[in-house]
Amino acid sequence: MSVVVEDLGKNMSKLTVTVDASKLDKAIDKVYNKQKHSISMPGFRKGKVPRYLVEKTYGTEIFYEDAANTLIQQEYPNAYDESELEIVSQPEIDVVQIEKGKDFIFTATVAVKPDVELGNYKGVTVTKVDVDVTDEEVDAEINRELEKNGRTVTVDRAIENGDVAKIDFDGSIDGEHFEGGKGEDFDLEIGSKSFIDTFEEQLIGHKAGEEVSVNVTFPKEYQATDLAGKDAVFEVKIKEVKTTELPELDDEFVQDVDEECETVDEYKKKIKERLLEAKTKEATRAKEDEAVAKIVDDSKMDIPEPMIENQIRQMMQEFSQTLAAQGLSLEQYMQFSGMTKEKFDEQMKPEALKRIQTSLVLEKIAEVEKIDISAEDIEEKMKEMAENYNMKLEELKDLIPESEKENIKKDTAIGKAVDLIMENVKEKAEAKKKAAPKKKASTKKKAEDKKDDKKDDKKDDKKED
């Protein structure tokens, strides 16, 4: 195999990969052996038709597509390594030559890691954040804890916002039922905006046992184009109405939820300390984000579009995993929210670009500052990970591949780059809004007021006479 690298400009490159003809013939033979059991021809039993006869009958190209896919999957990783490029996108593959007895040639167009021209990254000015916790915030946190420990009860009353309604529903457009418009025993939280348009609001005020016709309009950019912009009617049967009953805040509740506290006052104090710690960390992150954002704005880099697309794909995978943990598929989310893949990509693009720029800048700082990551640093990071996953360190080490260890090393270097930035920041107090000054009356206005005053004085004098 040979690889020729062509610089296309704007951080894009093309790899032209040439694979020996003998490998192509082996790949074709492999495909034939895999498929021969499903090939039948008069005079031969299945699996016994010679390859040359199949190619003569159906053309030599019959096995080309599968053979090309096999060779590309096999040879692209080797080409990746041989190119010595820092490739940051999925390859766009084109087959240039595939012919029996000749070398197999394909190209892979890829985005490569952009270089960064760093701006100033030492002595960056950030906003000083004063951290405080109010009694109202403590009460709100305690209410969340009460809700977490609340019990779900069935109620015999009309649906209110925040309730969960168990429903059957069946949707139709102009009397015609449509795919995905029917469901049974669905627990719908009222106010969650899980369903389109005003679906949830139209159930408020109705009780279990009632059947309700819900009228909605699908968004114009709805992912299912046959439904987009159309009016629909959902026949909904309310089967059950549930709400959350909260426990009483007393010493007994406190002792149940926190073994370190005996009284409500102790619990409130602990909550306040916990909130203060969380706010302090949040303030630190805010300053870090502000500092890094300023450095990114002051730096120069040319981000290739495929790199952004690759980042969006990763973000979609992360989002899909989050949905799966909640029992939803990405397809269901798209349907219920009216989101489309195009719209999702468009919304995610600014965040994807921000993530890429931030990562590139911090990596460049780590490189310039020659930040070295030792084996001890990686060990410490893996200990943290093991604690987070409630695993033994050795178990985690066995599960993590070498490629992931490289990512850990990279992330640790980025973390140290952030530490370096924050060691050199300058803090300034947040500017307070000044009250608007009162407007002074104009000289002309003052003169007019004096004339009016004199007129009033004369009128008063006449009245007295």
Side-chain angles (χ1 to χ4, degrees):
M1 182 200 74
S2 66
V3 181
V4 176
V5 179
E6 180 185 354
D7 184 0
L8 302 177
K10 295 187 176 180
N11 296 305
M12 297 294 295
S13 290
K14 182 164 74 173
L15 313 183
T16 300
V17 185
T18 303
V19 182
D20 190 84
S22 61
K23 285 191 175 182
L24 174 60
D25 195 57
K26 286 179 182 177
I28 292 172
D29 203 45
K30 187 177 178 180
V31 172
Y32 158 72
N33 286 322
K34 188 177 179 180
Q35 296 180 1
K36 68 181 181 180
H37 300 290
S38 61
I39 300 171
S40 60
M41 289 182 68
F44 293 92
R45 287 182 293 126
K46 275 191 176 182
K48 299 298 180 180
V49 184
R51 173 181 151 187
Y52 79 88
L53 192 56
V54 177
E55 290 177 335
K56 183 178 179 181
T57 305
Y58 298 105
T60 54
E61 301 86 0
I62 187 170
F63 300 120
Y64 280 1
E65 184 176 350
D66 289 339
N69 289 334
T70 299
L71 280 176
I72 290 166
Q73 289 175 15
Q74 176 184 308
E75 299 297 332
Y76 175 72
N78 300 327
Y80 180 108
D81 293 337
E82 191 172 319
S83 71
E84 297 184 347
L85 297 174
E86 287 193 72
I87 296 172
V88 291
S89 72
Q90 294 295 320
E92 185 180 314
I93 302 291
D94 283 310
V95 174
V96 176
Q97 177 175 286
I98 181 166
E99 189 176 339
K100 192 175 179 181
K102 293 186 178 180
D103 291 342
F104 172 63
I105 304 173
F106 70 94
T107 62
T109 304
V110 294
V112 295
K113 183 179 177 180
D115 193 20
V116 177
E117 185 183 327
L118 280 175
N120 175 50
Y121 61 91
K122 289 185 179 178
V124 178
T125 302
V126 296
T127 306
K128 185 179 180 180
V129 181
D130 293 322
V131 178
D132 187 31
V133 176
T134 65
D135 291 341
E136 289 78 14
E137 288 172 321
V138 173
D139 290 341
E141 182 65 22
I142 289 174
N143 284 336
R144 279 190 284 272
E145 193 64 37
L146 289 169
E147 288 172 3
K148 194 191 300 180
N149 287 273
R151 63 190 186 98
T152 302
V153 294
T154 301
V155 291
D156 184 19
R157 59 162 172 75
I159 294 172
E160 298 175 1
N161 198 41
D163 288 342
V164 173
K166 185 183 287 291
I167 61 172
D168 292 345
F169 59 89
D170 194 359
S172 61
I173 295 175
D174 296 331
E176 295 289 330
H177 297 277
F178 53 88
E179 188 178 352
K182 187 175 183 179
E184 293 182 352
D185 293 334
F186 189 91
D187 283 334
L188 176 62
E189 183 183 345
I190 308 302
S192 65
K193 301 294 181 186
S194 300
F195 279 20
I196 61 169
D197 203 21
T198 58
F199 190 105
E200 294 163 30
E201 290 91 327
Q202 293 179 57
L203 298 183
I204 293 175
H206 294 281
K207 299 177 68 176
E210 292 186 27
E211 295 185 4
V212 186
S213 293
V214 175
N215 296 281
V216 295
T217 302
F218 284 96
K220 290 182 180 178
E221 296 181 357
Y222 195 62
Q223 53 137 0
T225 53
D226 56 326
L227 303 178
K230 292 184 179 179
D231 296 328
V233 179
F234 283 85
E235 299 302 333
V236 180
K237 182 178 180 180
I238 303 168
K239 303 174 81 170
E240 190 180 7
V241 179
K242 295 177 283 187
T243 192
T244 303
E245 196 174 80
L246 301 183
E248 186 177 347
L249 177 62
D250 54 21
D251 291 350
E252 186 179 348
F253 168 78
V254 167
Q255 291 161 20
D256 283 342
V257 298
D258 194 325
E259 59 185 19
E260 295 179 358
C261 297
E262 292 287 333
T263 66
V264 172
D265 287 340
E266 288 178 9
Y267 186 57
K268 285 186 175 182
K269 183 182 177 183
K270 185 174 181 180
I271 291 290
K272 187 167 187 173
E273 290 171 353
R274 193 170 75 200
L275 288 175
L276 187 62
E277 183 183 356
K279 273 195 166 187
T280 303
K281 288 181 179 178
E282 186 181 333
T284 300
R285 283 195 298 270
K287 287 189 286 188
E288 288 175 353
D289 289 345
E290 184 182 355
V292 173
K294 284 184 175 180
I295 298 167
V296 168
D297 288 343
D298 199 33
S299 301
K300 294 178 183 177
M301 65 203 96
D302 190 3
I303 311 297
E305 196 65 28
M307 189 178 186
I308 300 173
E309 292 168 2
N310 199 47
Q311 180 65 49
I312 291 172
R313 273 194 295 271
Q314 290 179 25
M315 291 166 69
M316 184 174 274
Q317 287 174 358
E318 291 169 9
F319 184 60
S320 182
Q321 289 169 359
T322 302
L323 288 174
Q326 299 170 359
L328 274 178
S329 68
L330 186 61
E331 291 72 22
Q332 286 173 317
Y333 168 79
M334 294 284 193
Q335 183 173 2
F336 292 143
S337 66
M339 183 71 73
T340 62
K341 184 185 180 302
E342 291 72 24
K343 196 173 179 181
F344 184 93
D345 288 356
E346 184 183 339
Q347 288 185 0
M348 290 297 104
K349 189 170 184 177
E351 176 61 23
L353 180 60
K354 179 184 173 184
R355 287 191 188 187
I356 293 168
Q357 291 173 325
T358 299
S359 181
L360 289 173
V361 162
L362 293 174
E363 284 176 32
K364 189 67 176 181
I365 292 172
E367 178 191 327
V368 170
E369 292 290 332
K370 295 181 173 57
I371 292 175
D372 184 48
I373 303 303
S374 65
E376 289 76 16
D377 290 327
I378 296 176
E379 183 84 2
E380 192 61 35
K381 189 70 176 177
M382 292 179 76
K383 280 181 184 176
E384 289 178 22
M385 292 172 65
E387 287 175 10
N388 291 336
Y389 292 122
N390 294 318
M391 294 176 65
K392 291 181 180 178
L393 179 59
E394 295 307 316
E395 289 177 348
L396 183 69
K397 284 181 177 179
D398 290 340
L399 289 173
I400 293 180
E402 285 301 317
S403 58
E404 185 58 32
K405 288 178 184 176
E406 281 302 311
N407 287 333
I408 292 172
K409 187 174 181 179
K410 175 180 165 184
D411 290 343
T412 306
I414 284 176
K416 287 196 173 189
V418 173
D419 292 340
L420 183 145
I421 292 167
M422 298 312 292
E423 286 167 7
N424 292 278
V425 296
K426 298 174 184 176
E427 288 188 327
K428 66 172 182 179
E430 189 173 3
K432 294 181 179 179
K433 292 182 179 179
K434 295 180 180 179
K438 293 180 180 180
K439 290 183 179 179
K440 294 182 178 180
S442 65
T443 306
K444 183 179 179 182
K445 175 67 175 169
K446 288 179 180 177
E448 289 173 350
D449 290 344
K450 284 182 179 178
K451 284 182 181 179
D452 291 339
D453 290 341
K454 286 180 180 179
K455 286 179 182 179
D456 291 338
D457 290 340
K458 287 179 179 179
K459 285 179 182 179
D460 291 340
D461 291 341
K462 285 181 180 180
K463 284 179 183 178
E464 289 173 7
D465 293 341

